[in-house]
C-alpha cells in the first residue's frame, strides 16, 4: 500500500514499541518519518532499522525547547508536516494510599502536557488533510488497579481529541485517539511485570497481548485518507479488553 506517499510524519516515542512499529509501517506506506525520544541509543537502533526515510531528533516532550528543535528540523528538511502521532507516554503503578505528587507530575507532564505541547507546536506546519493521532489506552476507559495517575492521564488524552476537533474546525485537520490494550512493549514489561502481562492477556477476549505492529497498522489507517471522515473518535485496538 502507498497511502502515505509523499507525507511527512512526526512520531514521539518513535524509537521503541508502538511508535517504532508505526514508523516502520508509515515508511512502508510511503511516508518520511521523524522519530523523537530521549535515549540516543534507542533512536540510533531505530534509525538503523527504519532506513533512509527516517530522521531522529533527541528530546523530551516535556521540554518546550526540545519540541522547538524537533519542528525546526521538520521545517528545514520538509517544509510542512502532514501527520503527528503524539505517542510518547509513560506510566507505573502506585496504589491509592501511596500516590505521591511527584508520581502525578511525572505522569501528567509526559502524557498530558507533553501531548498538548507536541500537537500545539506542530500546528504552524500543518494544514488541510493533516492527521493528528493521540495514543490513549484501554486504561483510560476501564481503570486498572494501582494505575490511577496513568489511567486518569489517558482519560484526559481521550478528551483532548474531542475538544481539539472543535478547535480545529475549518482547518481540514483531523484528530483521533488510538487506544491500545495490553501490547508487548518495554512499557508493558516494566509496568506490569511477567505475571501482570499474563493477567492482562487472560482478561483480553482475544486471549493474548497485541504485537506492536497491530497497533501501527491502525495508526497508518488513521494517518491516511482512508479515515478521511473520522475526527474526535477513539479507536480501540485492544482485543476487546475495554469493550465488554
Ligand atoms: N504497551 C501497552 O500495553 C500500552 C497500552 C496502552 C497504551 N500504551 C501507550 O502506548 C504509548 C507507547 O508506549 P509503548 O507501549 O510503545 O512503550 P515504550 O516502548 O516504552 O514506548 C514509550 C516511548 O515513549 C518515549 N518517551 C517516554 N517519555 C518521553 C518523553 N518525556 N519525551 C519523549 N519521549 C518519551 C520513550 O522513549 P525514551 O524513554 O527514549 O524517551 C519510548 O520510546 C504510550 O503512550 C503508552 O502509554 C501502551
Amino acid at each position: 500500500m502507498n497511502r502515505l506517499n509523499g507525507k511527512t510524519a512526526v512520531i514521539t516515542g518513535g524509537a521503541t514499541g508502538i511508535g517504532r512499529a508505526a514508523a516502520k509501517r508509515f515508511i512502508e506506506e510511503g511516508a518520511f518519518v521523524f522519530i523523537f525520544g530521549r535515549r540516543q541509543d534507542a533512536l540510533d537502533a531505530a534509525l538503523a532499522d527504519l532506513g533512509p526515510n527516517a530522521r531522529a531528533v533527541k528530546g523530551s516532550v516535556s521540554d518546550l525547547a526540545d519540541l522547538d528543535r524537533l519542528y525546526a528540523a521538520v521545517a528545514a528538511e520538509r517544509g510542512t508536516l502532514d501527520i503527528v502521532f503524539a505517542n510518547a507516554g509513560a506510566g507505573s503503578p502506585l496504589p491509592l494510599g501511596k500516590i505521591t505528587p511527584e508520581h502525578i507530575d511525572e505522569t501528567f507532564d509526559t502524557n498530558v502536557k507533553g501531548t498538548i505541547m507536541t500537537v500545539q507546536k506542530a500546528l504552524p506546519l500543518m494544514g488541510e488533510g493533516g492527521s493528528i493521532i493521540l495514543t490513549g489506552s484501554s486504561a483510560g476507559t476501564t481503570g486498572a488497579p494501582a494505575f490511577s495517575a496513568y489511567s486518569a492521564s489517558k482519560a484526559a488524552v481521550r478528551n483532548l481529541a474531542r475538544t481539539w476537533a472543535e478547535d480545529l474546525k475549518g482547518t481540514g485537520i483531523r484528530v483521533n485517539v488510538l487506544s491500545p490494550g495490553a501490547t508487548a512493549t518495554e512499557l508493558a514489561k516494566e509496568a506490569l511485570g511477567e505475571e501482570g502481562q499474563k493477567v492482562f492477556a487472560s482478561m483480553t477476549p482475544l486471549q493474548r497481548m497485541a504485537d506492536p505492529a497491530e497497533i501501527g497498522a491502525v495508526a497508518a489507517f488513521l494517518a491516511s485518507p482512508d479515515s478521511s471522515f473520522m475526527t474526535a473518535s477513539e479507536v480501540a485496538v485492544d482485543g476487546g479488553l475495554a469493550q465488554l
Side-chain angles (χ1 to χ4, degrees), residues 2 11 18 20 22 32 36 40 47 57 59 62 73 82 101 115 117 129 140 144 152 161 174 179 202 205 213 239:
N2 52 8
I11 303 180
I18 290 167
R20 173 140 159 205
F32 191 97
F36 183 73
Q40 191 63 53
L47 275 191
V57 177
S62 306
D82 305 289
T115 297
M117 298 318 294
R174 303 180 293 110
S179 289
S202 71

Side-chain angles (χ1 to χ4, degrees), residues 13-19 36-39 42 59-62 87-90 110 135-138 150 154 180-188 209:
T16 62
I18 290 167
F36 183 73
R38 296 165 301 176
R39 286 168 296 164
S60 170
V61 293
S62 306
N87 163 76
T110 306
T135 301
S137 171
S138 54
Y150 179 75
K154 292 299 188 176
T183 306
T185 67
E186 279 174 42
L187 186 145
M209 293 177 73

Side-chain angles (χ1 to χ4, degrees), residues 29-213:
E29 295 212 25
F32 191 97
V33 175
F34 289 79
I35 58 172
F36 183 73
R38 296 165 301 176
R39 286 168 296 164
Q40 191 63 53
D41 57 340
L43 292 168
D44 290 343
L47 275 191
D49 179 40
L50 294 171
N53 288 333
R55 298 286 181 270
V57 177
K58 182 172 178 284
S60 170
V61 293
S62 306
D63 186 317
L64 300 186
D66 287 352
L67 287 171
D68 286 338
R69 278 193 301 103
L70 166 65
Y71 292 119
V74 175
E77 188 163 2
R78 303 287 293 179
T80 57
L81 180 61
D82 305 289
I83 300 155
V84 176
F85 186 17
N87 163 76
S92 55
L94 269 188
L96 187 61
K98 299 236 183 304
I99 298 168
T100 61
E102 293 75 21
H103 174 73
I104 300 169
D105 286 347
E106 197 184 321
T107 308
F108 274 72
D109 262 10
T110 306
N111 297 358
V112 181
K113 192 170 87 180
T115 297
I116 294 172
M117 298 318 294
T118 296
V119 171
Q120 184 163 287
K121 284 186 172 287
L123 290 178
L125 295 175
M126 298 185 76
E128 181 74 35
S131 176
I132 298 166
I133 305 153
L134 314 177
T135 301
S137 171
S138 54
T141 301
T142 61
F147 277 94
S148 312
Y150 179 75
S151 302
S153 74
K154 292 299 188 176
V157 167
R158 199 280 167 253
N159 185 274
L160 292 177
R162 288 198 159 104
T163 301
W164 290 345
E166 289 281 0
D167 288 346
L168 291 168
K169 268 183 187 165
T171 64
I173 302 171
R174 303 180 293 110
V175 54
N176 294 288
V177 179
L178 191 172
S179 289
T183 306
T185 67
E186 279 174 42
L187 186 145
K189 208 183 288 174
E190 279 167 25
L192 304 176
E194 287 303 325
E195 207 42 48
Q197 290 186 89
K198 282 189 194 145
V199 169
F200 268 90
S202 71
M203 280 160 47
T204 300
L206 288 181
Q207 293 287 282
R208 63 177 176 84
M209 293 177 73
D211 184 292

